[in-house]
Amino acid sequence: MAKLTMVQAINLALVQEMERDKSVLVLGEDIGQDGGVFRVTDGLLEKFGKERVLDTPLAESAILGTSIGMAMAGLRPVCEMQFCGFSYLMMGQYEAHATRMRARTHGQITLPLVVRMPYGGGVRALEHHSESREVVWAHLPGAKVVLPSGPRNARALLAAAIRDPDPVVFMEPKHSYRAFREEVPDEPEVLPIGKAQVVQAGTDVTLVSWGAMMRPTLKAAAEVAEKRGASIEIIDLLSIAPLDAATICDSVRRTGRCVVVQEAPRSFGPSSEITALINDKAFLYLEAPVARVTGYDVVTPYFGREKHYIPSAGRVARAIEETLDY
């Protein structure tokens, strides 16, 4: 069992799915000869050839439009948007065609395509390169939005996304691309889309997070547990659309307290939806208001200030203690 970075694990998923199914192909800017801006697609051109690894012009809408046509023709395209901040140029194609095709054709035509995009800050990038806007895609009916947190679940979730009959936005936390390694089995694994994981059981408070925010969340939980002896349950959502409401609400009914951690701006984000969900389904079990630790409602700052913008383990730990003390 090899210890891989997330970049290597995603590359492995692409290789294994392209070997398994000849209808799977990849396309995007610089993904062929250059192996991708983060080298996620490194080596695919040499292994699978230019018929299945396609470099495209810098034209996000055209990349997705081409992928939609390919999917309608029976292929399974995996296209790459180099950064989440530039993906909005494809939104017209995605909202008007990709997410609607199943409903528009009464289920006769589905679009098995995956849109991969790096998201989030923490790598000292430029403007438009650090946004965390998963809610933009999750808000569209018919869309699935997957956010892995580590190498092993990234490999398994990308395999699931490629095999899914409907469009999937696969958002990769680039801060986690090379931040750590995990053991990833050689044999292919597939995780169900829409099923969260309870990564640590507890009885005093529930923490909910996803993607790159899982690392400060885990660190904060360990610090508070050591300091106060608190029993903390931690949920890794893995996808926000579909949202695993059952796992979240079952946990909150047992603990009575919840802290949601997201990198995205505070207003109208996934944490707002999760808070509303808990109010709808588990309100009478709450012993404290649901707390949120989030980014701020400002443009994602340049790298000089991004550490103050992105939730830290310290901010998460304070929110946990305030919730326990309420």
Side-chain angles (χ1 to χ4, degrees):
M1 189 180 295
K3 296 191 73 171
L4 305 181
T5 64
M6 184 178 285
V7 165
Q8 293 170 324
I10 294 172
N11 180 275
L12 178 61
L14 291 170
V15 168
Q16 291 180 330
E17 289 304 300
M18 293 178 77
E19 288 176 339
R20 183 189 64 82
D21 184 349
K22 291 185 178 180
S23 70
V24 179
L25 56 91
V26 298
L27 66 159
E29 302 157 17
D30 303 322
I31 59 99
Q33 188 167 353
D34 289 344
V37 64
F38 290 103
R39 302 296 180 263
V40 172
T41 53
D42 194 28
L44 298 186
L45 178 63
E46 293 77 8
K47 189 173 184 62
F48 297 102
K50 61 182 181 181
E51 299 294 323
R52 297 178 67 192
V53 182
L54 287 74
D55 275 320
T56 69
L58 196 163
E60 285 80 4
S61 182
I63 294 170
L64 185 65
T66 302
S67 298
I68 291 171
M70 289 176 168
M72 291 182 70
L75 300 173
R76 288 183 178 268
V78 182
C79 63
E80 177 181 299
M81 302 291 146
Q82 281 197 341
F83 292 90
C84 172
F86 299 107
S87 63
Y88 315 117
L89 297 168
M90 67 147 190
M91 177 162 268
Q93 291 277 1
Y94 196 74
E95 197 280 336
H97 301 295
T99 60
R100 292 172 180 261
M101 194 62 71
R102 177 184 282 275
R104 179 181 290 159
T105 63
H106 303 285
Q108 295 184 58
I109 298 176
T110 63
L111 295 180
L113 65 88
V114 179
V115 183
R116 291 184 40 247
M117 61 176 81
Y119 84 96
V123 296
R124 301 175 66 83
L126 305 175
E127 188 178 14
H128 294 301
H129 291 70
S130 298
E131 285 84 352
S132 181
R133 301 279 167 75
E134 55 269 39
V135 70
V136 170
W137 307 105
H139 190 69
L140 303 176
K144 297 177 182 177
V145 181
V146 175
L147 298 108
S149 61
R152 184 167 182 172
N153 60 43
R155 197 275 293 263
L157 287 167
L158 182 54
I162 292 172
R163 300 180 191 190
D164 197 281
D166 294 303
V168 177
V169 172
F170 192 82
M171 303 187 70
E172 301 165 7
K174 57 180 175 290
H175 192 215
S176 301
Y177 265 162
R178 293 181 172 83
F180 61 101
R181 293 175 179 268
E182 279 183 350
E183 290 188 341
V184 179
D186 297 331
E187 301 76 20
E189 289 183 314
V190 180
L191 281 175
I193 293 175
K195 181 62 179 174
Q197 287 185 336
V198 178
V199 297
Q200 177 177 300
T203 57
D204 294 333
V205 60
T206 299
L207 306 187
V208 179
S209 192
W210 55 92
M213 287 298 94
M214 285 305 300
R215 297 184 72 208
T217 298
L218 290 164
K219 183 178 180 182
E223 291 174 355
V224 175
E226 182 177 0
K227 178 180 177 182
R228 302 183 49 147
S231 175
I232 301 173
E233 183 145 305
I234 304 173
I235 296 174
D236 184 351
L237 285 183
L238 299 178
S239 76
I240 61 167
L243 183 65
D244 188 351
T247 295
I248 296 170
C249 292
D250 287 349
S251 176
V252 174
R253 289 188 190 107
R254 285 185 284 100
T255 65
R257 294 177 169 83
C258 184
V259 178
V260 187
V261 184
Q262 71 177 28
E263 183 175 337
R266 186 178 187 83
S267 298
F268 313 107
S271 67
S272 305
E273 181 64 26
I274 293 167
T275 302
L277 170 71
I278 294 169
N279 282 338
D280 286 344
K281 305 293 184 184
F283 179 75
L284 295 179
Y285 296 84
L286 288 176
E287 298 182 40
V290 177
R292 292 184 289 161
V293 185
T294 71
Y296 301 105
D297 291 331
V298 299
V299 174
T300 308
Y302 289 119
F303 53 79
R305 293 185 174 85
E306 67 178 353
K307 285 187 177 179
H308 301 285
Y309 172 87
I310 298 171
S312 64
R315 284 176 60 191
V316 178
R318 284 195 294 275
I320 298 171
E321 294 202 73
E322 289 170 0
T323 301
L324 289 169
D325 292 337
Y326 184 84

